[in-house]
Amino acid sequence: MNTQAAIIPRQLHVGLIGAGIGRSLTPAMHMREGEHCGLSYQYDLIDLEARGLSVSDLPALIDEAEAAGFAGLNITHPCKQAAVALVDELSPDAQALGSINTIVFRGGRRIGHNTDWWGFAESFRRGLGDVSLDRVVQLGAGGAGVAVAHAVAQMGARSIEIFDLDPSRAHALADQLQAAHATCSFSVGHNLAEALNGADGLVHATPTGMGAHPGLPLEAHLVSDRFWVAEIVYFPIETELVKLARQKGCRVLDGGGMAVFQAVKAFELFTGIRPDAERMMQHFDSLRS
């Protein structure tokens, strides 16, 4: 009896809530790594667009997942900030960021985490670890934008100039992170051309470039090989910005590494097992080829 029980895979059920996520590779990464780790791992996509829902339906969706016995949820655009109010506890990084991308259901409590910032930082170290971070320009001040700015500051940036279609969000991001990063100066940008003229690098942290939001997040002539470019969108892996930046001769980091490493950390939070990051990266590369 004990021998038979030992070979029955531990069952785990998780999901991803977001809009326009039908092409996400996260479920496949989690389930394949779960199989390698001896788990029966189910990962569901809960697509707001496909179901005709909105962010206002997020409380009910989280309730349903918890009641169904999910181990946890990943949360993506446009729900990362709204989800903060729907958990019982925040990890220190999530508390600092005011944005979560992972909820763990444990002991009747909901614990919110942010693995985006660590995923971006780990990807950046591997792909652009030797570049200058003195002056960084960032497009986007939403949930992902806060995480990425936190990561860039943690890696040693001296100044980060934030641009967003909603200036109040850019101001909120700058105010929020300035208190946590005394050695980095955060400011709200007003003239993108001027900012990029003196920048070491450009970080793109908006949904522009995703399948549901095609296009460039800035005018093409502003992209120059004077600076590196880091993207967070990963489906498609070659966004219009990544393609243009490579054509211009920039050093470029696509969004794939962040996608993998945020999943690495989320997998560990859901399962209590440290996954094989290299194996997950190889699987991700095979999925996108």
Side-chain angles (χ1 to χ4, degrees):
M1 182 70 70
N2 290 339
T3 301
Q4 184 180 14
I7 64 173
I8 297 175
R10 173 182 156 205
Q11 295 186 343
L12 206 77
H13 194 177
V14 300
L16 170 65
I17 299 177
I21 55 175
R23 297 175 61 193
S24 173
L25 302 180
T26 300
M29 283 193 290
H30 274 257
M31 288 190 289
R32 173 69 66 84
E33 188 61 20
E35 182 181 350
H36 280 295
C37 295
L39 303 174
S40 175
Y41 199 110
Q42 181 176 340
Y43 193 115
D44 295 345
L45 284 181
I46 305 169
D47 192 330
L48 299 182
E49 287 185 3
R51 298 190 182 193
L53 303 175
S54 68
V55 177
S56 65
D57 296 294
L58 185 60
L61 292 172
I62 295 175
D63 287 346
E64 289 171 14
E66 186 174 25
F70 280 46
L73 291 164
N74 281 137
I75 306 292
T76 192
H77 175 78
C79 302
K80 293 181 180 183
Q81 289 167 313
V84 169
L86 304 175
V87 299
D88 301 302
E89 179 184 341
L90 293 171
S91 70
D93 285 307
Q95 183 75 50
L97 295 172
S99 171
I100 60 177
N101 75 325
T102 303
I103 299 173
V104 176
F105 300 128
R106 184 164 297 152
R109 292 176 62 79
R110 301 172 178 178
I111 306 169
H113 299 265
N114 189 302
T115 70
D116 280 333
W117 81 268
W118 184 87
F120 181 83
E122 190 65 19
S123 175
F124 197 98
R125 290 187 191 101
R126 292 174 177 235
L128 292 175
D130 60 339
V131 300
S132 173
L133 291 170
D134 282 352
R135 298 183 64 182
V136 177
V137 171
Q138 178 172 310
L139 305 181
V146 177
V148 168
H150 177 66
V152 173
Q154 290 277 58
M155 290 186 289
R158 296 181 62 185
S159 72
I160 303 175
E161 193 167 356
I162 309 295
F163 289 81
D164 194 275
L165 293 176
D166 180 351
S168 67
R169 292 208 308 178
H171 280 285
L173 186 156
D175 292 343
Q176 177 182 348
L177 292 184
Q178 189 62 75
H181 297 283
T183 60
C184 181
S185 173
F186 293 85
S187 61
V188 177
H190 301 286
N191 187 316
L192 184 57
E194 282 186 10
L196 288 174
N197 191 50
D200 294 303
L202 170 68
V203 176
H204 174 234
T206 85
T208 303
M210 293 173 63
H213 306 278
L216 285 168
L218 74 171
E219 294 181 43
H221 71 88
L222 295 179
V223 178
S224 166
D225 65 1
R226 294 190 309 272
F227 51 80
W228 50 262
V229 174
E231 171 71 275
I232 70 163
V233 174
Y234 80 92
F235 54 97
I237 196 67
E238 187 173 75
T239 62
E240 292 187 41
L241 176 60
V242 165
K243 183 177 181 180
L244 175 64
R246 284 179 173 150
Q247 289 174 346
K248 292 286 187 81
C250 304
R251 290 188 61 183
V252 179
L253 183 73
D254 65 39
M258 180 180 179
V260 172
F261 288 107
Q262 65 80 22
V264 165
K265 187 62 70 174
F267 182 96
E268 184 174 354
L269 289 168
F270 290 147
T271 67
I273 299 170
R274 180 170 294 180
D276 185 325
E278 297 303 327
R279 184 167 61 204
M280 290 182 72
M281 179 66 80
Q282 290 171 9
H283 184 216
F284 178 84
D285 289 340
S286 73
L287 289 169
R288 71 182 193 180
S289 62

